[in-house]
Amino acid sequence: MAPSVAIIGAGFGGLCMAIRLERAGIRSYTIFEKADDLGGTWRDNSYPGAGCDIPSHLYSYSFEKYASWTRRYPDQPEILGYLEHCADKYDVRRKIRFRNEVRSAAFDGRQWQITAAGPDGGERTEAFDVMVVSVGQLNRPHLPDIPGMSDFTGVSFHSARWNHDHDLTGRQVAVIGTGSSAAQLIPPVAERAARLHVFQRTPNWVIPKPDATFGPLTKLALHYVPGLQRAYREWIYRYAEATLYPALAEGWSTGLLRKRALGHLYEQVPDRALRAKLTPDYPPGCKRVVIDSRFYPALTRDNVDVITDKIVRIGPRGVETTEGLREVDTIVYATGFRSTEFLTPMEITGRSGRSLHERWANGAEAYLGISVPEFPNMFLLYGPNTNLGHNSIIFMLECQVAHIMACLPRLAEQGPIEVRPEVMAAWTRQLDTAMERMVWGGGCQSWYKTAEGRVTNNWPGSTTLYRRLTGKAPGGAYRPSPAR
């Protein structure tokens, strides 16, 4: 008998899990989605200029090639359209419960008791054999702790909660933050605003984004020429592994990445003083490298100021720094996400009665980023230490889903299973050793790591290694769950 499966989240990971279950003939699953539509981060992040810095044909499922991409790097509407296409083609939309937010889950010794709040706000608890949590790492906006934020009398919002009813034309706008989202939204905002004040705490390494549109002949060739799309995808993948990953591991291409970024900066920012503001003092890759060709030109516009003075407070009329008040009528917080607070605010309780947040008090960890001891039949997608700084997260998600699918047959034979504690301990030691050679630990703060400096988000190996590890038979890593 097929297990009942609860999937939490209807983004890339949740939809991939559902599609794999459908293709395996397992239809006893339910997808819980707190929003009123699918798409996850690609539904939420609809700010002007939103898009992806991974090429279209790699930022997609390997089993669902797509001939409709219009450009090399997809923008947000196209990615969301691709996810809607997949949900409809594989008929998984019918299994999604929209506006159902999972509040808690507790393992009762046999099943997961999952409590969700429905559209009317009322809560309902149901039992499932398996729980797959796919809420992502970049889903809860982070707002900075700046005094006086609530005193501002203008309009303010986070980039991931864009206020499309607020026209920025002719306005005095402040953007706080200069990471990847800010780099994308600043150019279109600068074109509309009367004046744009960009508040930068730490500069980012930026490399060019060689974007291009696909013409009719290219699209036809990718669709009809046998093997062409697969070969193109493979070339993009191999290039990222061979050149970008070694830079993060402080290997042969580290100097090449630095040289390319500095060349891009000098080419696009002729002003020496502005260039000095935009030059990082930490190794390339320590923070997420921004891939964008419009960001620097936007910062050189006459109506744009780059401000590096420390923000003291936000008052009713604008942003006050150590050098004085910048009067604005709109504030956009491009300040990222609460990325290290995995699965928050859900309360998840394992077989021993211990909460997951208690177990993760010193930082989230999971075997393969997927499984946690004492939490039987619970699997994570895009969990701890599975983010990438150089390749497509969709590749990682497919590896994780394949591993989960390999675990499911064991449930009928052995009942609930969980990863062995000694396997988890060995995994943690291996991760710690691998992290020592990566660039993320040195000289910068980033969303990759906790306030204490532990890297909880990124995968420190190649994606080919991750595929090998998740592709192994899961037998020895798991055990039947002990009775309470």
Side-chain angles (χ1 to χ4, degrees):
M1 183 176 177
S4 56
V5 181
I7 302 171
I8 304 174
F12 259 110
L15 292 178
C16 184
M17 187 73 225
I19 291 168
R20 283 296 306 271
L21 289 170
E22 281 282 339
R23 296 175 73 183
I26 300 173
R27 297 183 172 86
S28 49
Y29 67 91
T30 300
I31 306 173
F32 292 87
E33 172 52 58
K34 67 179 180 180
D36 57 6
D37 203 354
L38 59 83
T41 191
W42 294 110
R43 173 200 60 239
D44 294 343
N45 287 271
S46 59
Y47 56 81
C52 187
D53 56 13
I54 299 295
S56 308
H57 290 87
L58 185 57
Y59 200 79
S60 50
Y61 299 128
S62 63
F63 57 80
E64 184 52 36
K65 296 175 179 59
Y66 196 54
S68 297
W69 296 119
T70 63
R71 58 189 320 109
R72 182 178 296 165
Y73 291 91
D75 58 18
Q76 179 264 342
E78 280 202 281
I79 298 171
L80 186 58
Y82 173 76
L83 287 171
E84 292 170 342
H85 158 81
C86 292
D88 292 335
K89 177 176 177 177
Y90 292 96
D91 196 25
V92 299
R93 191 188 291 268
R94 76 188 195 286
K95 304 290 280 188
I96 305 175
R97 291 187 191 170
F98 293 112
R99 298 174 63 196
N100 269 256
E101 182 175 6
V102 172
R103 300 283 177 80
S104 64
F107 190 73
D108 65 5
R110 189 174 62 89
Q111 291 181 305
W112 282 98
Q113 301 292 330
I114 297 178
T115 301
D120 60 356
E123 293 187 349
R124 176 184 176 187
T125 300
E126 295 176 78
F128 291 87
D129 299 318
V130 176
M131 180 170 66
V132 179
V133 186
S134 182
V135 296
Q137 297 184 13
L138 306 177
N139 68 95
R140 300 184 66 231
H142 171 264
L143 288 172
D145 185 16
I146 303 174
M149 288 170 59
S150 61
D151 298 333
F152 182 58
T153 56
V155 175
S156 63
F157 48 86
H158 191 276
S159 59
R161 301 292 184 267
W162 195 266
N163 185 347
H164 290 279
D165 294 327
H166 183 62
D167 186 4
L168 298 179
T169 303
R171 295 191 178 274
Q172 298 285 328
V173 182
V175 172
I176 297 178
T178 53
S180 295
S181 295
Q184 292 180 345
L185 68 88
I186 283 172
V189 169
E191 292 174 359
R192 296 187 215 166
R195 188 145 212 94
L196 175 59
H197 308 264
V198 177
F199 291 85
Q200 173 187 273
R201 183 176 64 178
T202 308
N204 290 275
W205 290 100
V206 182
I207 60 176
K209 186 177 185 178
D211 201 6
T213 57
F214 293 126
L217 291 179
T218 301
K219 291 171 69 175
L220 284 172
L222 288 168
H223 184 63
Y224 289 109
V225 175
L228 180 59
Q229 187 173 155
R230 181 180 296 277
Y232 177 52
R233 177 187 172 99
E234 185 70 12
W235 178 82
I236 300 168
Y237 170 78
R238 294 295 175 187
Y239 175 82
E241 287 298 297
T243 61
L244 296 181
Y245 172 70
L248 303 180
E250 301 190 90
W252 73 270
S253 57
T254 302
L256 184 65
L257 179 61
R258 177 188 289 270
K259 182 178 180 180
R260 189 178 186 193
L262 287 175
H264 183 55
L265 174 62
Y266 274 70
E267 180 183 337
Q268 293 200 321
V269 182
D271 181 82
R272 186 174 297 179
L274 178 57
R275 214 162 52 215
K277 288 183 178 181
L278 299 174
T279 303
D281 61 358
Y282 57 85
C286 186
K287 293 165 67 78
R288 172 84 179 185
V289 174
V290 173
I291 305 176
D292 200 283
S293 295
R294 299 180 62 204
F295 179 49
Y296 283 155
L299 298 183
T300 66
R301 290 173 60 104
D302 291 339
N303 69 326
V304 176
D305 294 324
V306 178
I307 303 143
T308 57
D309 309 323
K310 183 179 179 181
I311 296 175
V312 176
R313 66 178 57 85
I314 292 176
R317 295 185 296 125
V319 183
E320 184 178 340
T321 74
T322 52
E323 298 301 312
L325 176 67
R326 295 272 179 162
E327 293 193 20
V328 297
D329 54 54
T330 305
I331 299 176
V332 178
Y333 294 102
T335 47
F337 300 86
R338 299 170 67 173
S339 55
T340 61
E341 299 177 12
F342 288 83
L343 278 57
T344 301
M346 291 184 291
E347 289 292 332
I348 298 179
T349 306
R351 62 169 174 80
S352 64
R354 188 182 183 191
S355 77
L356 188 61
H357 297 306
E358 181 184 351
R359 182 181 178 90
W360 284 351
N362 295 320
E365 59 180 6
Y367 171 64
L368 299 174
I370 299 173
S371 304
V372 182
E374 299 183 9
F375 290 79
N377 289 10
M378 182 186 80
F379 303 99
L380 309 177
L381 295 176
Y382 199 15
N385 296 114
T386 63
N387 181 66
L388 298 175
H390 71 285
N391 213 315
S392 174
I393 190 60
I394 313 306
F395 176 94
M396 301 289 277
L397 289 171
E398 288 197 53
C399 292
Q400 293 154 23
V401 169
H403 179 84
I404 296 169
M405 293 298 295
C407 288
L408 294 185
R410 296 193 61 190
L411 307 185
E413 305 166 3
Q414 301 178 357
I417 61 171
E418 62 182 76
V419 67
R420 297 178 184 274
E422 63 272 22
V423 171
M424 183 70 244
W427 177 255
T428 300
R429 289 193 298 270
Q430 292 165 3
L431 276 179
D432 289 344
T433 299
M435 285 295 176
E436 293 176 359
R437 70 171 185 270
M438 304 305 293
V439 71
W440 306 312
C444 74
Q445 292 183 341
S446 73
W447 63 264
Y448 299 154
K449 54 189 178 183
T450 64
E452 295 72 32
R454 183 179 177 192
V455 178
T456 57
N457 293 68
N458 281 12
W459 168 240
S462 67
T463 59
T464 53
L465 173 60
Y466 190 77
R467 178 168 54 189
R468 287 199 302 272
L469 293 171
T470 53
K472 291 180 180 178
Y478 293 85
R479 69 178 183 184
S481 178
R484 285 201 292 181

